[in-house]
Amino acid sequence: MTVSLDTPVNGPVNEKSQRMKRLLTRSGHFLGKMSRNPLTAIGGGIIFLLLIVATFAPWIAPYNPLVQDLNSALVAPNAQHWFGTDEFGRDIFSRLVYGSRITLYIVLLVSVTVGPLGLLLGVTAGYFGGKVDMVLMRVTDIFISFPSLVLALAFVAALGPGLEHVVIAITLTAWPPIARLARAETLSLRQADFISAVRLQGASPVRVLWRHIVPLCLPSVIIRITMNMAGIILTAAGLGFLGLGAQPPEPEWGAMISSGRTYMMECWWVVTIPGLAILINSLAFNFLGDGLRDILDPRSE
């Protein structure tokens, strides 16, 4: 038995390495496009720093965020307490570091639930049309007609305070814009020639949606979710400020502002520093969303 010299002995290994090279090339090209936009690079850098801080919070925070020291209450920023202390003597920097975990928990959990929900309802309404479209869009209009914070307040009031209930409430208020966006994308795609060709080949509606329409709607949905993250942070902080989010003594940024507002005239750092954390991270997600829109949306080129 003879073996041809042209036979690829390590075919699967070579194919895997080629796929890895293509992935690295595309990733480098993607990061290169992002770096050309200064605001996008700044936003991505801040979000990356937030992820690092949340991941390594026990090693970054110099103090326990829950331990009280009334002898050190309302101490101004100094060498020992970089951002000062609150009314219970807790280190504000340490509480901000641990609070980043709560913020990312809400943002990521809402994003991974609201994206598939809005995408599913949107492509279903846009593809089937008729009564299905009418029913789904009327439900969507009902949710959109209320301000998101007011609707989230209503859901949390019905469910009760708590971090998990905040996630559920924000999810129920954040899916309608994504559904409308996915529906609009689907309406523009369902009459395309390649979709008609796939139908003529006998593809089922589920296959057409899953294999052809959903992948084309994903870039717009990802951009929308990224830009919605700033609103998610603000809504979560607003609910925490009202005492409906993470309960004391958890170091949630909105709750930190709420507990320190009594002392903000004399001790500015108690409210200003958590407020700046909310502002900076909200802007970072907006900057990143703008950059992703320029990169992923072919109509922007």
Side-chain angles (χ1 to χ4, degrees):
M1 179 178 179
T2 59
V3 179
S4 173
L5 296 177
D6 297 332
T7 302
V9 179
N10 298 323
V13 176
N14 291 334
E15 184 179 355
K16 186 176 181 180
S17 63
Q18 289 176 1
R19 288 181 180 176
M20 184 63 66
K21 289 180 180 178
R22 287 196 297 267
L23 179 61
L24 292 175
T25 301
R26 291 176 180 175
S27 300
H29 184 60
F30 180 80
L31 293 175
K33 283 186 175 181
M34 290 186 62
S35 63
R36 296 190 192 105
N37 188 332
L39 292 180
T40 304
I42 292 172
I46 293 173
I47 294 171
F48 179 74
L49 180 61
L50 181 67
L51 290 171
I52 295 296
V53 169
T55 302
F56 299 100
W59 294 274
I60 295 176
Y63 299 94
N64 188 317
L66 305 181
V67 173
Q68 301 181 10
D69 182 9
L70 297 180
N71 294 325
S72 301
L74 299 175
V75 172
N78 54 37
Q80 287 75 34
H81 302 282
W82 298 344
F83 293 165
T85 61
D86 62 8
E87 67 274 18
F88 296 108
R90 297 173 296 194
D91 183 64
I92 292 180
F93 174 74
S94 299
R95 290 179 65 78
L96 283 180
V97 169
Y98 276 90
S100 64
R101 289 185 163 187
I102 298 176
T103 299
L104 281 179
Y105 171 80
I106 295 174
V107 169
L108 294 179
L109 196 56
V110 170
S111 298
V112 299
T113 53
V114 78
L117 177 62
L119 181 62
L120 174 64
L121 295 178
V123 297
T124 301
Y127 184 79
F128 290 103
K131 293 183 179 179
V132 175
D133 183 29
M134 182 183 67
V135 172
L136 291 178
M137 286 302 101
R138 296 298 77 77
V139 174
T140 304
D141 291 340
I142 292 173
F143 278 85
I144 290 180
S145 63
F146 295 95
S148 59
L149 181 58
V150 174
L151 195 59
L153 281 171
F155 282 122
V156 174
L159 297 172
L163 199 58
E164 291 75 16
H165 294 166
V166 167
V167 172
I168 295 173
I170 298 177
T171 299
L172 292 175
T173 60
W175 67 266
I178 297 174
R180 293 188 69 88
L181 175 63
R183 173 182 178 270
E185 294 280 345
T186 305
L187 288 175
S188 64
L189 291 171
R190 69 177 182 178
Q191 300 301 331
D193 293 338
F194 72 95
I195 296 295
S196 300
V198 171
R199 288 201 200 99
L200 291 175
Q201 292 176 359
S204 65
V206 175
R207 182 178 178 84
V208 173
L209 288 174
W210 180 251
R211 295 293 299 274
H212 301 281
I213 292 182
V214 168
L216 293 174
C217 294
L218 272 179
S220 299
V221 171
I222 292 173
I223 294 168
R224 181 72 191 203
I225 291 175
T226 305
M227 301 190 73
N228 278 359
M229 288 180 180
I232 294 171
I233 292 176
L234 294 174
T235 303
L239 294 174
F241 180 85
L242 297 174
L244 299 175
Q247 298 301 296
E250 292 298 323
E252 198 272 327
W253 294 347
M256 290 172 63
I257 296 175
S258 177
S259 63
R261 69 184 187 276
T262 306
Y263 312 95
M264 66 180 183
M265 299 304 296
E266 298 83 9
C267 307
W268 56 269
W269 59 89
V270 179
V271 171
T272 303
I273 293 176
L276 286 175
I278 296 172
L279 173 64
I280 291 172
N281 286 282
S282 298
L283 287 176
F285 279 110
N286 276 329
F287 291 158
L288 182 63
D290 287 336
L292 290 177
R293 180 182 58 192
D294 296 337
I295 296 171
L296 298 178
D297 190 357
R299 290 169 295 186
S300 65
E301 297 181 355

